[in-house]
């Protein structure tokens, strides 16, 4: 199983949130940002568009998620704890 699918499964199992759906809910946006951040750390040579393709998003959305992840983590300590377990 590819790392992207496994990471999506872990997020869905632990948080009961599907990050593939198109929504603007805060929890989903934060978890998508977590997904992009962890994936970029695990696979640094993976392009932003390739990461976006796994979520059916464009590269600009991935850039936005990566830039804002620190802020999301700052205001949501649960996100930081969850990242440590992933």
């Amino acid at each position: 199983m590819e790392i992207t699918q496994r990471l999506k499964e872990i997020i869905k199992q632990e948080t009961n949130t599907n990050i593939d759906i198109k929504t603007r809910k805060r929890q989903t946006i934060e978890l998508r940002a977590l997904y992009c951040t962890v994936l970029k750390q695990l696979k640094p040579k993976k392009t932003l568009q390739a990461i976006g393709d796994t979520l059916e998003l464009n590269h600009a959305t991935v850039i936005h998620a990566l830039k804002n992840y620190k802020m999301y983590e700052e205001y949501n300590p649960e996100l930081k704890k969850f990242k440590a377990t992933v």
Side-chain angles (χ1 to χ4, degrees):
M1 178 180 289
E2 194 175 340
I3 187 94
T4 56
Q5 291 300 324
R6 184 68 184 129
L7 188 54
K8 284 182 188 180
E9 278 184 17
I10 291 169
I11 291 172
K12 190 172 185 176
Q13 287 174 355
E14 296 295 321
T15 63
N16 293 324
T17 303
N18 185 0
I19 61 172
D20 286 324
I21 61 171
K22 302 286 185 205
T23 183
R24 295 170 116 183
K25 291 183 179 178
R26 181 177 178 178
Q27 180 181 8
T28 306
I29 291 169
E30 289 175 349
L31 290 171
R32 267 193 229 133
L34 170 70
Y35 170 82
C36 292
T37 303
V38 170
L39 194 56
K40 192 63 179 170
Q41 289 174 352
L42 292 175
K43 300 279 188 176
K45 292 190 178 188
K46 198 169 187 87
T47 65
L48 299 174
Q49 186 59 53
I51 293 171
D53 288 342
T54 63
L55 294 169
E56 296 181 16
L57 302 171
N58 63 20
H59 73 285
T61 308
V62 176
I63 291 170
H64 183 75
L66 292 172
K67 278 176 53 176
N68 288 319
Y69 178 74
K70 287 286 186 192
M71 179 190 61
Y72 297 149
E73 196 176 70
E74 182 180 325
Y75 290 103
N76 185 355
E78 294 294 319
L79 199 61
K80 192 173 192 174
K81 290 177 191 173
F82 184 64
K83 183 181 178 192
T85 62
V86 175

